[in-house]
Amino acid sequence: MSKKERQQQLLQVIGGNPFVTDRELTRQLKVSIQTIRLDRMELGIPELRERMKQMAEHSYDQVRSLPADEVVGDIVDLQLDKSGISIFEIREDHVFSRNGIARGHYVFAQANSLAVAIINDEIALTASADIRFVRMVRLGEKCIAKAQVRSLAGRGGKAEVDVFTYVGEELVFQGHFIVYRSAVEEYSEGGNRSADRH
Amino acid sequence: MSKKERQQQLLQVIGGNPFVTDRELTRQLKVSIQTIRLDRMELGIPELRERMKQMAEHSYDQVRSLPADEVVGDIVDLQLDKSGISIFEIREDHVFSRNGIARGHYVFAQANSLAVAIINDEIALTASADIRFVRMVRLGEKCIAKAQVRSLAGRGGKAEVDVFTYVGEELVFQGHFIVYRSAVEEYSEGGNRSADRH
DNA sequence: ATGTTATTTAGAACCAGGTACTAATATGTA
DNA sequence: TACATATTAGTACCTGGTTCTAAATAACAT
């Protein structure tokens, strides 16, 4: 068996079972452990422990990425159909554990929540958005999102809301949201709106 | 600080960051490494490597047991730098209580997480996104997000990822993500990590 | 065959992050 | 004071490697 063939097989075996040790590989491929290790080097395959670590980190980040908590940002100022401000502090839960940089969807969630809350209607849902993460946000930083309604189609139409999020003076995020609004009664149980928005 | 208090703190610290070594724990709890180890014994907390192994096995089992029926809120298929699938079920926490419609940022979060997870680099961050909420998603519905990498600029560049989210056959969300990627070496312990993922 | 290069194997030193075990030293507490 | 509990110290050992040097083997052309 040629070197290339063997390395292909190596990729296959480790692909099929990433938890295999070099010693087990020597049995399957019938070469010395040094050869296995040289092959791993050449193929850029990390050692078993590193493979497990990466899988663990990946899945750990994954778990934390499904936001479990409801409220994203405290709305400190709200003028319905006009403007609003929300504050959101980046905590451990909101960042990648590797580097302490905030996951984008938390920054988005703050802006989205604000864009929806600002609309004075029974139902307000985001229809589409065009967003840009201007700079990374880090653990401990306080994001201040400022929203402005740009246009309001009559009842049951769409609204356009711009949101700019700052850390201090610095712009970190900007988004242009199209928000559906309708006083449609299909779901409303007649209560006054706004109470359950954040 | 009493033994019980310390052990409570130990549980907390390891719970908050399972990747912590005993040595780091001595710094945080201000006791000797032997005490840390005795505490771990008593509490039945395995060593760091075992913890990582268990996490890795857990996620690996989930990935390879592609049930498509029962799994909730997780990545069920992942081909780094190519494509991925994630499933997320909308529960009470994720909807407006008034009408049972999912808040947009949860749907976005699923897509964003997937778009970032799919990128095979040390650091991957969303730079910008263009998204559309095609139809409302309701309480109890299962969102299946499918991501495809459309382009990959060389190391340290940007990647474009398209994500389409379905409930059953119906498209509910679509997004075009620009994801920053960099193999910044500050954290990398060398080696590419593509070969060992299925 | 001879020299040349590539490939494979061997072996020793070292590392992280532990376990297992023994023993000494606090710190209480009855 | 004596005894028990808690804490610290230290050593030997383990796994699954890395790094390095060096030798043996194979492959190939001249």
Side-chain angles (χ1 to χ4, degrees), chain B residues 36-193:
Chain B
I36 296 291
R37 285 170 180 170
L38 284 173
D39 283 352
R40 270 202 300 101
M41 299 293 141
E42 284 183 30
L43 297 170
I45 300 172
E47 60 169 298
L48 168 60
R49 283 160 176 169
E50 190 56 34
R51 296 196 298 270
M52 294 195 302
K53 187 181 175 188
Q54 284 174 9
M55 283 189 273
E57 279 175 339
H58 185 74
S59 73
Y60 188 67
D61 286 350
Q62 283 199 340
V63 166
R64 67 182 343 200
S65 69
L66 230 134
D69 242 12
E70 289 289 88
V71 172
V72 175
D74 223 332
I75 288 180
V76 293
D77 185 47
L78 192 62
Q79 290 176 282
L80 292 170
D81 286 344
K82 286 188 187 155
S83 67
I85 294 173
S86 127
I87 297 181
F88 178 53
E89 185 177 333
I90 302 297
R91 291 205 309 275
E92 290 249 9
D93 290 357
H94 312 124
V95 302
F96 291 104
S97 53
R98 300 179 66 64
N99 49 32
I101 294 173
R103 288 166 197 279
H105 51 260
Y106 286 104
V107 177
F108 172 81
Q110 179 191 18
N112 183 57
S113 296
L114 183 58
V116 167
I118 207 174
I119 297 300
N120 181 24
D121 253 300
E122 292 299 332
I123 294 178
L125 296 170
T126 311
S128 64
D130 200 349
I131 61 183
R132 231 175 75 217
F133 296 91
V134 179
R135 86 142 165 84
M136 302 175 303
V137 183
R138 296 174 183 292
L139 181 60
E141 289 184 322
K142 210 168 282 183
C143 295
I144 297 167
K146 300 182 182 182
Q148 278 272 330
V149 175
R150 291 305 179 198
S151 79
L152 272 176
R155 303 203 145 267
K158 289 174 179 179
E160 289 181 74
V161 183
D162 283 336
V163 181
F164 295 90
T165 304
Y166 301 86
V167 170
E169 304 285 287
E170 269 185 292
L171 183 70
V172 297
F173 170 92
Q174 67 185 68
H176 180 77
F177 293 81
I178 311 284
V179 180
Y180 253 125
R181 53 200 290 269
S182 71
V184 167
E185 306 311 328
E186 216 173 322
Y187 303 96
S188 94
E189 288 98 86
N192 109 16
R193 43 207 261 286

Side-chain angles (χ1 to χ4, degrees), chain A residues 97-151:
Chain A
S97 53
R98 292 179 79 67
N99 50 33
I101 295 172
R103 290 162 195 284
H105 50 258
Y106 284 103
V107 178
F108 173 82
Q110 179 191 18
N112 183 58
S113 296
L114 183 58
V116 166
I118 207 173
I119 297 301
N120 182 24
D121 253 302
E122 291 296 335
I123 293 179
L125 295 169
T126 312
S128 65
D130 200 350
I131 62 184
R132 232 175 74 217
F133 296 90
V134 179
R135 86 142 164 84
M136 301 176 304
V137 183
R138 296 178 180 290
L139 181 60
E141 290 184 323
K142 209 166 283 183
C143 295
I144 296 167
K146 300 183 182 181
Q148 279 272 330
V149 174
R150 292 302 179 199
S151 80

